[in-house]
Amino acid sequence: TRFFDIVVFGTEIPGLTPADRVRKWTTPIRYKVAGAGGAEWRPVIQRHAATLTGLTGISYQEMGPKEAGENLVIMLVPRDKMSEAGALVEKDPNKLRAVVNGTRGGCYFLSYSKEDRIVYAAVVANVEGPKPMLEHCLLEEMTQMMGLPNDSDRVSPSMFNDSERHMALTPGDVALVKALYDP
């Protein structure tokens, strides 16, 4: 329960207000992949989406580039374009600066909610980094945008610990995701 409190209600980004309630998706996630390397990373994204669907019951459906109605966009961009990509979604430059500055250069996510329902999210990942780092980043940010936004060195072993690099969710991470999505 301590880890759940840290990951669901905490924030490591200075200037951002911690969550005051549980927030999670209640509708299917309709996503698009944008930017360089989408075709190469599509199987990894699909694998992570399948893992998260299995844990949450929330389905993922990839949309075509000309289809409208996505509620998640995954942007694979060079490091020097990460802020620019985030600005396509986040209109508050102070919030975007806080989020980007709070990353270690690999990736970040933005999510938007109405009361307790997450309604839109974006994942921005540095496509120029080492492939294992990008795979880790995609899993971490896709998991966090499900309603588990915080990282902390106090949560270990975990995907939510920036001092550790896991290529799969740990048993503790699985418990956190399942607890959040338990009816």
Side-chain angles (χ1 to χ4, degrees):
T1 58
R2 186 176 72 242
F3 288 174
F4 187 88
D5 187 52
I6 291 168
V7 173
V8 172
F9 298 110
T11 181
E12 80 267 23
I13 300 173
L16 291 186
T17 305
D20 60 354
R21 64 176 70 185
V22 167
R23 290 183 172 99
K24 59 186 177 179
W25 292 87
T26 58
T27 59
I29 296 173
R30 298 174 315 278
Y31 71 96
K32 289 184 179 183
V33 179
E40 177 184 359
W41 289 99
R42 185 165 278 111
V44 172
I45 292 167
Q46 290 169 339
R47 186 174 69 246
H48 294 335
T51 297
L52 293 167
T53 293
L55 295 174
T56 66
I58 303 296
S59 65
Y60 280 74
Q61 175 190 358
E62 185 172 4
M63 301 184 67
K66 297 193 188 284
E67 289 181 84
E70 72 274 4
N71 54 14
L72 168 63
V73 62
I74 300 170
M75 295 181 258
L76 305 170
V77 297
R79 179 165 172 57
D80 65 346
K81 300 289 185 192
M82 290 178 70
S83 292
E84 187 178 317
L88 296 172
V89 176
E90 179 54 57
K91 301 308 177 203
D92 179 347
N94 293 325
K95 179 180 177 184
L96 180 60
R97 192 172 14 270
V99 170
V100 173
N101 290 342
T103 70
R104 296 184 182 180
C107 50
Y108 63 89
F109 79 98
L110 300 160
S111 67
Y112 303 90
S113 58
K114 290 183 180 175
E115 298 174 0
D116 59 348
R117 295 175 297 113
I118 299 171
V119 296
Y120 192 87
V123 171
V124 179
N126 176 5
V127 75
E128 296 175 326
K131 288 185 178 197
M133 177 68 169
L134 182 53
E135 183 168 352
H136 164 82
C137 276
L138 288 168
L139 178 59
E140 178 182 6
E141 303 308 326
M142 288 175 69
T143 304
Q144 287 190 290
M145 65 101 204
M146 295 298 295
L148 301 128
N150 192 35
D151 290 315
S152 174
D153 289 343
R154 297 181 292 164
V155 181
S156 181
S158 177
M159 178 68 62
F160 306 107
N161 184 325
D162 278 342
S163 298
E164 303 173 358
R165 292 286 174 247
H166 297 278
M167 300 310 286
L169 296 175
T170 68
D173 297 337
V174 168
L176 292 175
V177 174
K178 283 183 167 184
L180 178 62
Y181 278 86
D182 185 275

